[in-house]
Amino acid sequence: DDRSSLDLMAAYLEDTTARLERAQDGAEAIRLAQALRPDVVVLDIRLPRLDGWQVMSALRADVSTADIPIVVTTVVDERARGLALGAEEYLLKPVRREDLLDALARVGVPRAPEGEQLAPGP
């Protein structure tokens, strides 16, 4: 939902197999997910235009994005609601790097082997 959060998540993801695509608002997140079919969506709840609840609902309602894992990272303490709407993981900010990487691993985004840097995605 803000530049510093995006930058922090990008730094956290440097040693994963994930290729990072950034959305500035909820509407763009939906559009990118539909166009790119990512391995996972890391989603905040407090977003401009469409909030994270609306994004999750739209992604789950669309057959082309319904199976994309969603990892929520937010200050909004409504874990039950997030899981009910289809999030696989729900992390409260401030999110530690290890917590995010563990959550991503649980939904299928592997880490690089110890000491190895992965090349950025295409």
Side-chain angles (χ1 to χ4, degrees):
D1 64 339
D2 63 67
R3 181 64 186 204
S4 61
S5 290
L6 286 170
D7 291 345
L8 182 61
M9 291 297 145
Y12 283 179
L13 296 175
E14 285 180 358
D15 70 346
T16 70
T17 60
R19 185 182 91 195
L20 180 64
E21 295 288 338
R22 299 174 187 205
Q24 298 299 319
D25 61 48
E28 185 180 8
I30 294 168
R31 183 186 60 75
L32 282 173
Q34 291 168 332
L36 301 176
R37 302 265 312 123
D39 293 331
V40 63
V41 170
V42 178
L43 180 66
D44 199 342
I45 297 301
R46 292 186 175 171
L47 299 174
R49 294 180 61 192
L50 298 175
D51 66 26
W53 307 123
Q54 294 167 304
V55 172
M56 274 192 286
S57 294
L59 293 177
R60 291 300 177 242
D62 183 337
V63 68
S64 72
T65 58
D67 63 340
I68 298 171
I70 298 172
V71 174
V72 172
T73 62
T74 185
V75 297
V76 179
D77 191 1
E78 293 190 48
R79 179 181 173 79
R81 181 179 180 189
L83 296 177
L85 286 173
E88 279 73 18
E89 298 285 335
Y90 198 96
L91 304 174
L92 288 176
K93 289 180 179 178
V95 175
R96 293 178 333 117
R97 181 176 184 272
E98 288 303 308
D99 293 336
L100 178 62
L101 295 179
D102 288 347
L104 291 173
R106 288 190 294 272
V107 300
V109 179
R111 294 182 188 213
E114 191 68 34
E116 179 181 326
Q117 285 288 351
L118 294 175

